[in-house]
Amino acid sequence: MDINATSEPRGGGGGGWRGREPFSIFTILILTLLVLLTIATFLWNLLVLVTILRVKTFHRVPHNLVASTAVSDVLVAALVMPLSLVKELSAGRRWRLGPALCHVWVSFDVLCCTASIWNVTAIALDRYWSITRHLEYTLRARRRLSNLMIALTWALSAVISLAPLGGWGETYSPALQRCQVSQVPSYTIFSTCGAFYLPLCVVLFVYWKIYKAARFRIGGRRRNAVLPLPEMGPVKEASHEPQMVFTARHATITFQTDGETWREQKEKKAALMVGILIGVFVLCWIPFFITELISPLCSCNIPPVWKSIFLWLGYSNSFFNPLIYTAFNKNYNNAFKNLFVRQR
């Protein structure tokens, strides 16, 4: 989401990753890493999408939320990152591709990155409701709410990305050959809050509630644990028929206990997945959005190299998202293996 990271460096000279030696070994290494990041982000998210489309068991929640996230992330890799990389290669980080492509690039940048962030928020909310309200959060309610969250995610992202095209600031400056999202302070506050700070508050609140609910439930189960009775031995000495009745009852009790343990483990795993997903999301995007909010308001001169680092760190979140939510789901790993085996 390139709001201010695309601005011209003051005082002239090269910006971005370029220095006095534009083709130095360090520059080539950095650009190679960015190209590999772009390709890996595209292929990994595309693999997730293909798997969800081909496996019928994934045609339900929460996989529709995962699919929506993968769509936004694959668009980031296909439409946003390549043009951003072209700009990094340009001397002075000037935009030489014309105003039309500038408007398209900026709009898709804001749209896809905002949608990716809100999709992560939707996944966290789905995990929260499935853990804290598993009796009320039925499959039907879950499907309805997940579809609603997906629709709201893309609608809000579209509003934020298309607002500058309606006259809320300029994105392209022909004299300076500069392509950037509107730097109007009111739009900066609106876009950064809508695209990051609001979902950040939501996911932090959600994870705190998940952690609190998991600790309360696990602690309550340990306090209410049923200890084995000491009279079990004499029952075994009874006749054969009572022994069979006792064995059946014992098996039923054991099954219920194992079911509670399985749910505990599932909740811990879900809480861990959401925690890692939120943690990576915050680490990737918070440096960029802090500078995006501060720079237009205080007219701070942030070095272009740091703007580029923060921007690509945010883009990398689209690479980590599919790694995280597939690593905690064995069904995806099995589906990946079956997909490649069938192709052979």
Side-chain angles (χ1 to χ4, degrees):
M1 182 175 181
D2 200 354
I3 296 180
N4 193 44
T6 57
S7 60
E8 282 284 319
R10 299 181 182 180
W17 306 104
R18 297 173 63 86
R20 294 183 179 179
E21 299 180 5
F23 297 104
S24 64
I25 296 178
F26 178 74
T27 302
I28 295 174
L29 177 62
I30 293 298
L31 292 176
T32 302
L33 291 176
L34 295 183
V35 171
L36 292 177
L37 176 64
T38 302
I39 296 174
T41 302
F42 177 78
L43 293 178
W44 191 244
N45 283 284
L46 185 63
L47 177 62
V48 172
L49 279 176
V50 171
T51 302
I52 293 176
L53 290 175
R54 296 194 61 175
V55 180
K56 292 184 179 180
T57 55
F58 289 160
H59 296 176
R60 55 184 175 83
V61 290
H63 304 290
N64 57 341
L65 295 171
V66 174
S68 180
T69 308
V71 168
S72 60
D73 290 336
V74 80
L75 289 176
V76 170
L79 303 176
V80 179
M81 296 171 72
L83 291 176
S84 184
L85 185 58
V86 170
K87 189 175 183 184
E88 294 291 343
L89 293 171
S90 175
R93 303 183 76 248
R94 294 181 176 89
W95 185 263
R96 305 179 186 276
L97 302 177
L101 193 56
C102 171
H103 295 314
V104 172
W105 175 57
V106 170
S107 298
F108 273 104
D109 190 354
V110 179
L111 172 69
C112 299
C113 292
T114 303
S116 177
I117 292 172
W118 274 107
N119 278 316
V120 170
T121 306
I123 291 176
L125 284 171
D126 177 73
R127 295 291 91 190
Y128 165 65
W129 286 324
S130 64
I131 290 176
T132 59
R133 303 179 182 180
H134 60 278
L135 295 179
E136 306 169 11
Y137 198 44
T138 60
L139 182 60
R140 185 177 180 181
R142 195 177 187 184
R143 185 186 302 111
R144 188 187 306 114
L145 282 175
S146 63
N147 291 333
L148 178 62
M149 288 190 293
I150 292 173
L152 290 176
T153 290
W154 288 97
L156 177 61
S157 302
V159 169
I160 295 175
S161 64
L162 298 178
L165 299 180
W168 204 350
E170 297 181 357
T171 59
Y172 180 71
S173 174
L176 299 175
Q177 290 184 321
R178 182 171 60 189
C179 181
Q180 61 180 6
V181 174
S182 171
Q183 294 298 289
V184 177
S186 58
Y187 178 75
T188 299
I189 295 174
F190 168 73
S191 60
T192 55
C193 290
F196 178 75
Y197 292 105
L198 180 59
L200 175 65
C201 294
V202 173
V203 295
L204 292 179
F205 173 78
V206 162
Y207 186 68
W208 175 70
K209 296 291 287 184
I210 289 176
Y211 178 76
K212 186 178 178 180
R215 287 194 60 183
F216 174 79
R217 188 167 298 169
I218 293 172
R221 287 172 183 169
R222 289 177 178 175
R223 288 192 299 269
N224 297 329
V226 179
L227 298 177
L229 297 176
E231 293 81 11
M232 294 300 179
V235 177
K236 295 181 180 180
E237 298 177 359
S239 63
H240 182 67
E241 185 175 354
Q243 185 177 357
M244 290 178 62
V245 174
F246 171 75
T247 303
R249 291 177 180 176
H250 181 70
T252 304
I253 296 173
T254 303
F255 175 78
Q256 292 175 351
T257 305
D258 289 342
E260 293 293 322
T261 304
W262 171 81
R263 183 163 189 85
E264 265 185 35
Q265 294 175 353
K266 185 178 179 181
E267 291 177 0
K268 287 181 181 179
K269 194 173 182 180
L272 180 61
M273 186 274 287
V274 172
I276 295 177
L277 192 68
I278 293 173
V280 172
F281 152 71
V282 172
L283 291 176
C284 287
W285 280 115
I286 199 168
F288 174 79
F289 278 99
I290 288 177
T291 58
E292 291 312 298
L293 182 61
I294 292 176
S295 294
L297 299 180
C298 69
S299 300
C300 302
N301 185 17
I302 300 174
V305 64
W306 286 107
K307 294 178 182 180
S308 294
I309 290 174
F310 294 157
L311 175 65
W312 282 90
L313 182 63
Y315 287 159
S316 69
N317 186 234
S318 295
F319 168 75
F320 290 115
N321 283 338
L323 292 179
I324 295 171
Y325 53 65
T326 57
F328 284 85
N329 194 324
K330 294 182 179 179
N331 294 329
Y332 278 104
N333 297 327
N334 296 332
F336 293 157
K337 294 177 182 178
N338 294 333
L339 182 63
F340 285 114
V341 168
R342 288 179 182 178
Q343 293 297 328
R344 291 178 183 179

